[in-house]
Amino acid sequence: METVQELIPLARELMAQRPNRKVLKLYVLGGVLAFVGMVIGLVETVCSPFTAASRLRDEEAAVAELQAAQERKSLAIQTLREKSKQQEAVLCSRAPSIRQHAS
């Protein structure tokens, strides 16, 4: 059944054959499930741009957070390096001065 126009002849044919209640219930259940599936697909199609936009925003926020964490980490490493260089410079400057006075 490719079009809705085929449903009416099918329904007439089913009613002409006088199906029992179980078969009729099965056809109704199948039709209801198909309709529910169609509605869910339509809702998903309509709402997909909004969910894609929110996913994109969440992704961008996560990337920005990771970049900020990397920047903080690199700044912390840089400050540690500078402090260690200053300490080495202080130690190196003291050593020759001590030798000059000791000799």
Side-chain angles (χ1 to χ4, degrees):
M1 282 189 276
E2 295 179 6
T3 62
V4 178
Q5 295 171 351
E6 295 176 6
L7 287 176
I8 295 172
L10 177 68
R12 284 186 184 162
E13 185 180 329
L14 289 175
M15 296 309 287
Q17 292 179 0
R18 297 275 183 193
N20 58 12
R21 288 185 180 212
K22 289 182 181 179
V23 174
L24 191 60
K25 286 181 182 179
L26 187 65
Y27 281 124
V28 170
L29 178 66
V32 168
L33 289 177
F35 182 75
V36 168
M38 182 189 68
V39 169
I40 289 172
L42 182 64
V43 168
E44 185 177 326
T45 302
V46 169
C47 295
S48 66
F50 303 115
T51 57
S54 67
R55 275 191 229 128
L56 182 62
R57 275 182 277 163
D58 293 343
E59 220 173 81
E60 288 174 351
V63 168
E65 186 177 330
L66 286 174
Q67 286 177 348
Q70 286 178 346
E71 280 185 32
R72 286 191 300 261
K73 189 176 181 179
S74 65
L75 285 175
I77 290 172
Q78 187 178 6
T79 55
L80 286 174
R81 286 181 184 165
E82 289 176 1
K83 285 182 182 180
S84 66
K85 284 181 183 179
Q86 287 175 353
Q87 288 176 352
E88 287 176 9
V90 168
L91 290 176
C92 290
S93 66
R94 287 184 185 172
S97 65
I98 294 173
R99 287 185 195 149
Q100 290 174 356
H101 293 291
S103 56

